[in-house]
Amino acid sequence: MSADGATARVVFKAPKGEKMTDAVNKATVEKTVKELRSGSEVASVADPYTGHAVSRNGSIAYASVKYEVSGMELADSSKDALTDAAQDARDAGLTVEIGGDALSATPETGSSEIIGIAVAAVVLVITFGSLLAAGFPLLTAIIGVGIGVCAITALASALDLGTTTSTLASMIGLAVGIDYALFIVSRYRAELAEGREREDAAGRAVGTAGSAVVFAGLTVVIALVGLSVVNIPMLTKMGIAAAGTVAIAVLIALTMIPALLGYAGRRIKPAGQKSRLLGGGRTPKEPGRPNMGTRWASFVVRRPVAVLLLGVLGLGAAAIPAASLELGLPDDGSQPASTTQRRAYDLLSEGFGPGFNGPLMIVVDAKDSADPKAAFAEVGDEIKGLKDVVTVTPAASNKAGDTATITVVPDSKPSSTTTEDLVHAIRDKGADIARKTDSQVLVTGSTAMNIDVSQKLNDALLPYLALVVGLAFLLLIVVFRSILVPLKAALGFLLSVMAALGAVVAVFQWGWLSGLMNVEETGPVMSMMPIFMVGVVFGLAMDYEVFLVTRMREAYVHGEKPGQAVVTGFQHGARVVTAAAVIMMAVFSGFIGSSESMVKMIGFGLAIAVFFDAFLVRMAIVPAVLALLGKRAWWLPKWLDRALPNVDVEGEGLRAHAAPEEEKELVRA
């Protein structure tokens, strides 16, 4: 039956006042069917008139086309032949649309992706006060993404990678690539402002911010590669491809950025100085005034309880819609109304009912049954008695007469919970029939497979969460040499990801602001969204945690009191983390304009998650908790302190190395 082959449904609609059974329209359809059968890769074409594929009112009919190869392997010539046959029927006066996976739509991101990069460029210019310094993170991120996407494209055929794999890899790679370069360039300028030579400043920037980049990148890679534990090939490939792009971004940030800084020389100004083109050389209006990060951190340290309560309650309120989360996989009904797939879906719903777009195929294996025909009949009769069943076709058996297929058309659309309940009900009935007739009843088809994949993803969420959070928790213990700081980081992440899922449910399931987001069809949230969001958002959340809190720990290790260390961390890191978060939000938001519902949903989900995590968790809840904990935040059992390797993200070794050199300079003086 070419079960793995691509399928297409060519849907015909008669002009107003006419029927598909009229002689002229019937002749046009039969000519189209004959034309479709001539394709080199076509396995079979079902004639609407012999296959009872005409609607009751006679206005709509469809022809089913099956191919010998899968949709990924289908030749362009076969796709062109399909569209040409449909166009010929249109020219004859019929409305013709094509559904199925044989003519899969290529995702389009539109101009919004370019706008996202433009916003990132503006933020970088404002942050650095220099066009040259702002250009470095953009240049290196684009190079890194280019390498990653080229590798994915080269391996796409061999590894059977989908079109969304490169889109998601470029989305994540671009965001982290800009951020990692941003942190190193910012630290380099801060070191210059302290009076260091350029080579020394570059070395220290890579030794401190570069170390933080490595560990931040590791958390992202762990989260993405960890998607393989779900054991769904598509998700595994997406995760590994995106992780590879992140690894490339880390390598480029550690190697190419220092090289570019050396090449730029004195054209890169110390922190606080702007290029002349952007107003450099002017006397500041309020010299000595603390920056915004310092003022905000001081406020939080003075009122930690109020800030903590407001942050937790706000995220909790945003997370409320997540309690109504319904999962499913997108079908042609979620495509934009401008596509032929969506129009074919709507025509079939109009002519045959919403469940017609998601038929269930029942396979009855009666090889061990004493009376296979009786088993086939009993299966059909039992299914007819179930709720939400519109049509049950007679059993079609193989030549041996021991295996048969039965097509079941539900009353509700493929992505509804009612159809999901029907699949489970058929399987429950099948188990009873199997005991009576010694036959096996199996349910397949794209609708049943989507339901099973969604269930598998749902079941894997908690084990995956435990694995990723557990590994990253251990990694952060090594980085921060603390128990409570990594614990606080993990709990804060859970708050932000639940709030982000709540926002996704509100927009894509409930329809809030759906017009603004260009969501044409609300429905269940894509089943891989929660687990994918957990993986990506956890990695990105730990980025901000590492970059912000390592500055606090650096200040604490070098003698500052806990409260003052929080303020110092914000003094140096808040501006950079804010810029990084705005850049990530801009890049992810750029993908909201995609025509692919999965890419659109992931773009929105990641953008809102970054907002919640960066501005509510890391900028408000984290300093409030650290202010309340005081010295206890940096507590670590002595036996564990001795057992852990010293990764020195804070650069203590650099200061110790620099001290003798400074003493020598004093002696010479």
Side-chain angles (χ1 to χ4, degrees):
M1 292 183 68
S2 298
D4 293 332
T7 59
R9 272 179 171 172
V10 183
V11 188
F12 306 91
K13 184 176 182 180
K16 192 173 182 180
E18 298 180 18
K19 292 187 176 183
M20 290 306 303
T21 50
D22 294 347
V24 176
N25 294 334
K26 187 174 181 180
T28 301
V29 172
E30 288 174 343
K31 182 183 175 185
T32 304
V33 169
K34 185 178 179 181
E35 194 176 337
L36 289 169
R37 282 177 178 155
S38 64
S40 58
E41 295 178 313
V42 173
S44 65
V45 180
D47 188 298
Y49 302 103
T50 58
H52 307 290
V54 181
S55 63
R56 287 183 180 178
N57 63 8
S59 64
I60 296 171
Y62 69 92
S64 295
V65 186
K66 286 193 174 182
Y67 291 88
E68 295 172 347
V69 296
S70 67
M72 291 287 290
E73 299 169 318
L74 198 63
D76 289 339
S77 58
S78 295
K79 295 180 181 180
D80 292 340
L82 180 61
T83 53
D84 290 344
Q87 188 57 49
D88 291 343
R90 287 192 193 102
D91 294 340
L94 297 178
T95 299
V96 186
E97 303 297 346
I98 305 170
D101 62 349
L103 206 63
S104 56
T106 303
E108 297 176 3
T109 53
S111 59
S112 52
E113 184 181 348
I114 307 298
I115 294 171
I117 296 174
V119 171
V122 171
V123 172
L124 287 168
V125 170
I126 294 172
T127 303
F128 290 136
S130 165
L131 291 174
L132 185 63
F136 285 172
L138 279 175
L139 174 64
T140 53
I142 290 170
I143 290 172
V145 167
I147 294 170
V149 171
C150 284
I152 291 167
T153 305
L155 297 170
S157 179
L159 300 180
D160 193 23
L161 303 178
T163 53
T164 53
T165 303
S166 58
T167 305
L168 295 173
S170 63
M171 180 196 302
I172 295 165
L174 194 61
V176 299
I178 293 173
D179 278 9
Y180 294 165
L182 165 67
F183 286 118
I184 292 177
V185 173
S186 297
R187 187 59 186 254
Y188 171 75
R189 296 177 73 236
E191 295 291 340
L192 288 181
E194 292 182 11
R196 305 195 189 283
E197 293 296 324
R198 293 186 178 272
E199 284 187 16
D200 187 29
R204 287 173 179 272
V206 176
T208 51
S211 298
V213 163
V214 170
F215 282 97
L218 270 176
T219 58
V220 180
V221 169
I222 286 171
L224 291 170
V225 173
L227 291 170
S228 58
V229 303
V230 183
N231 199 25
I232 292 178
M234 181 177 71
L235 197 60
T236 300
K237 291 169 187 174
M238 285 167 55
I240 292 174
T245 310
V246 171
I248 292 168
V250 171
L251 289 173
I252 286 180
L254 296 179
T255 56
M256 194 171 180
I257 284 293
L260 288 172
L261 292 174
Y263 178 76
R266 297 188 177 278
R267 285 172 289 181
I268 302 294
K269 306 293 182 185
Q273 294 184 24
K274 296 181 180 180
S275 64
R276 291 190 174 277
L277 183 64
L278 297 171
R282 298 176 188 170
T283 306
K285 293 180 181 178
E286 296 182 63
R289 188 187 181 207
N291 63 20
M292 180 66 77
T294 304
R295 297 198 300 274
W296 169 249
S298 300
F299 170 79
V300 174
V301 168
R302 288 196 304 271
R303 295 176 178 82
V305 175
V307 172
L308 180 61
L309 286 174
L310 280 173
V312 171
L313 290 174
L315 289 171
I320 289 172
S324 304
L325 178 67
E326 294 176 8
L327 298 178
L329 284 175
D331 53 27
D332 285 346
S334 61
Q335 295 277 1
S338 58
T339 62
T340 187
Q341 290 89 344
R342 172 62 185 278
R343 291 196 293 264
Y345 180 97
D346 291 341
L347 283 176
L348 289 171
S349 295
E350 178 189 336
F352 301 92
F356 197 78
N357 283 291
L360 306 173
M361 180 180 281
I362 314 302
V363 180
V364 186
D365 181 1
K367 290 174 185 173
D368 299 327
S369 176
D371 189 352
K373 285 187 178 180
F376 302 154
E378 185 165 352
V379 171
D381 292 340
E382 289 284 354
I383 293 173
K384 283 177 185 175
L386 293 175
K387 188 181 176 184
D388 196 46
V389 172
V390 173
T391 307
V392 179
T393 64
S397 63
N398 62 347
K399 289 181 181 179
D402 57 10
T403 305
T405 60
I406 300 171
T407 302
V408 177
V409 178
D411 186 40
S412 50
K413 63 182 184 178
S415 58
S416 68
T417 52
T418 312
T419 302
E420 183 179 345
D421 293 340
L422 176 61
V423 170
H424 294 314
I426 293 172
R427 285 174 174 159
D428 292 341
K429 282 287 183 185
D432 296 336
I433 295 168
R435 285 191 291 270
K436 295 177 188 174
T437 62
D438 293 325
S439 60
Q440 189 176 12
V441 180
L442 305 167
V443 185
T444 186
S446 59
T447 302
M449 286 192 283
N450 285 351
I451 290 169
D452 292 342
V453 168
S454 299
Q455 187 61 49
K456 190 168 186 178
L457 286 164
N458 201 27
D459 294 342
L461 182 58
L462 286 178
Y464 171 71
L465 190 61
L467 173 72
V468 171
V469 173
L471 287 174
F473 180 76
L474 295 175
L475 187 65
L476 292 178
I477 289 177
V478 174
V479 173
F480 295 129
R481 308 194 79 76
S482 163
I483 297 292
L484 295 178
V485 170
L487 181 62
K488 171 232 8 131
L491 293 176
F493 151 73
L494 290 174
L495 270 175
S496 59
V497 81
M498 289 304 296
L501 276 175
V504 168
V505 169
V507 173
F508 291 89
Q509 190 176 308
W510 292 359
W512 294 5
L513 302 177
S514 57
L516 183 64
M517 299 292 169
N518 198 26
V519 178
E520 296 182 6
E521 187 76 19
T522 59
V525 172
M526 184 184 60
S527 54
M528 66 177 67
M529 188 68 192
I531 203 162
F532 190 82
M533 185 179 282
V534 164
V536 177
V537 174
F538 186 79
L540 300 181
M542 294 308 104
D543 279 2
Y544 301 127
E545 183 75 15
V546 168
F547 290 124
L548 196 58
V549 179
T550 46
R551 270 292 196 169
M552 297 178 191
R553 175 164 172 76
E554 188 176 336
Y556 177 75
V557 164
H558 295 131
E560 291 189 7
K561 292 182 179 179
Q564 184 56 41
V566 171
V567 176
T568 302
F570 268 76
Q571 177 187 346
H572 294 291
R575 180 184 177 90
V576 181
V577 169
T578 300
V582 172
I583 287 168
M584 276 204 180
M585 287 168 60
V587 172
F588 291 146
S589 297
F591 289 85
I592 295 174
S594 173
S595 62
E596 181 71 37
S597 60
M598 181 170 74
V599 175
K600 182 193 292 285
M601 192 180 292
I602 289 176
F604 171 79
L606 294 182
I608 199 72
V610 167
F611 171 77
F612 286 145
D613 197 86
F615 294 107
L616 294 182
V617 175
R618 309 302 152 191
M619 293 288 187
I621 293 176
V622 165
V625 171
L626 290 177
L628 288 171
L629 290 175
K631 289 184 178 180
R632 289 167 294 180
W634 308 108
W635 170 80
L636 186 71
K638 290 183 179 179
W639 63 269
L640 187 56
D641 189 29
R642 289 192 298 270
L644 291 176
N646 183 17
V647 297
D648 192 17
V649 177
E650 302 83 21
E652 291 177 67
L654 288 173
R655 294 206 175 198
H657 175 72
E661 296 295 329
E662 290 170 3
E663 287 176 10
K664 288 178 185 177
E665 291 295 328
L666 289 171
V667 170
R668 289 196 196 101

